[in-house]
Amino acid sequence: MPVAPLRPPLRIAVLISGGGSNLQALMDGCATGLIPGQIVLVISNRSDAFGLERAKKYQIPTRVIDHRLFSLRASFDQMVARALEEAGAELVCLAGFMRVLTSDFVQYYAGRLLNIHPALLPAFPGIHVQRQAIEAGVRFSGATVHFVVPEVDSGPIVIQAVVPVLADDTPDTLAARILRQEHRIYPLAVRWFAQGRLRLEEGRVRVMDGEEDDLGVLVNPMGEA
Ligand code: GAR
């Protein structure tokens, strides 16, 4: 019987700027085996990002690259790219990383750079998106994991989760509800990438060879308030 060759664990780097709860979900995903990969480096552009503490607890190497020390956006990005190369990163995950990357950087990592955004793209790109959703009066919002392209908060969508927007929501309550779904979908997207199941076809993502766990992808918006 032919035996499929074993893949070595995918080498993942995560870029953060803050709390790092998505980083936590990815670390947990690797630790439990959901993601056949290992996080080899966490980079933060802020030295006070709590995510750095989370990474240290898991003995994951961290780097702080303070964007304020670079007069040019491109020089900051080059420093980040150098750290990623040194770590041998094969996939780069933006997880609450609040810097816009240059198109040179994005093009270099095309097809191996993912981002999570707390809205149902292409609706509500940018910042303060939970406030935007409430002010627009939408009944549903959610989260999106997508491949990064030079245009901000755009690019082929891997997975989305839907959550209801309730009448008495504040940006904070909506953000918390969305964040809980982010923690479900980001590890799944990275799992699929690590399994080699994501195909880019005409600017759209196809997930190959569905499995049982894919059923969890459709979030029932009324299931959780
Ligand atoms: C998350 O909601 C993430 O989607 C968002 O920042 C938060 C980071 O939380 N990212 C963006 O808005 C990027 N445009 P975390 O640090 O706890 O993962």
Side-chain angles (χ1 to χ4, degrees), residues 188 191-192 195 197 207-216:
L188 264 183
R191 169 182 170 82
W192 294 338
Q195 291 173 325
R197 290 170 54 200
V207 184
M208 311 300 286
D209 310 322
E211 340 172 297
E212 195 90 340
D213 64 0
D214 297 351
L215 296 174

Side-chain angles (χ1 to χ4, degrees), residues 7-217:
R7 288 168 190 267
L10 183 77
R11 297 177 68 81
I12 303 164
V14 184
L15 272 55
I16 62 168
S17 298
S21 68
N22 277 293
L23 164 67
Q24 184 73 53
L26 295 176
M27 293 191 303
D28 291 340
C30 292
T32 60
L34 175 77
I35 300 170
Q38 60 177 133
I39 300 179
V40 293
L41 180 63
V42 171
I43 299 177
S44 173
N45 63 310
R46 298 180 53 120
S47 59
D48 60 353
F50 181 66
L52 292 168
E53 305 306 317
R54 296 181 189 267
K56 283 175 194 155
K57 229 182 218 171
Y58 279 59
Q59 276 140 19
I60 293 171
T62 59
R63 285 279 297 269
V64 174
I65 303 178
D66 185 342
H67 61 277
R68 292 169 305 183
L69 303 178
F70 299 85
S71 50
L72 293 177
R73 204 172 271 280
S75 319
F76 169 77
D77 285 9
Q78 278 160 16
M79 189 61 101
V80 172
R82 193 179 306 164
L84 294 172
E85 293 304 301
E86 280 167 15
E90 299 168 291
L91 172 68
V92 180
C93 294
L94 308 182
F97 182 67
M98 303 310 273
R99 301 291 304 165
V100 174
L101 294 160
T102 55
S103 59
D104 278 354
F105 181 99
V106 171
Q107 270 152 16
Y108 184 75
Y109 286 100
R112 49 198 181 112
L113 181 58
L114 290 173
N115 180 43
I116 189 155
H117 182 78
L120 292 175
L121 291 173
F124 308 123
I127 57 171
H128 306 306
V129 294
Q130 297 87 357
R131 180 176 296 283
Q132 286 187 50
I134 290 169
E135 286 176 0
V138 293
R139 279 6 183 205
F140 297 105
S141 189
T144 305
V145 178
H146 63 97
F147 282 103
V148 176
V149 296
E151 193 189 333
V152 175
D153 295 332
S154 189
I157 290 168
V158 178
I159 182 171
Q160 293 185 305
V162 177
V163 304
V165 180
L166 304 180
D168 57 354
D169 261 333
T170 64
D172 284 347
T173 59
L174 179 56
R177 189 175 311 114
I178 292 171
L179 203 53
R180 284 200 290 280
Q181 300 308 324
E182 294 185 40
H183 301 158
R184 293 180 65 194
I185 63 173
Y186 213 173
L188 264 183
V190 175
R191 169 182 170 82
W192 294 338
F193 183 98
Q195 291 173 325
R197 290 170 54 200
L198 300 182
R199 294 272 181 286
L200 269 169
E201 288 175 6
E202 294 170 8
R204 284 163 47 173
V205 175
R206 268 187 69 190
V207 184
M208 311 300 286
D209 310 322
E211 340 172 297
E212 195 90 340
D213 64 0
D214 297 351
L215 296 174
V217 170

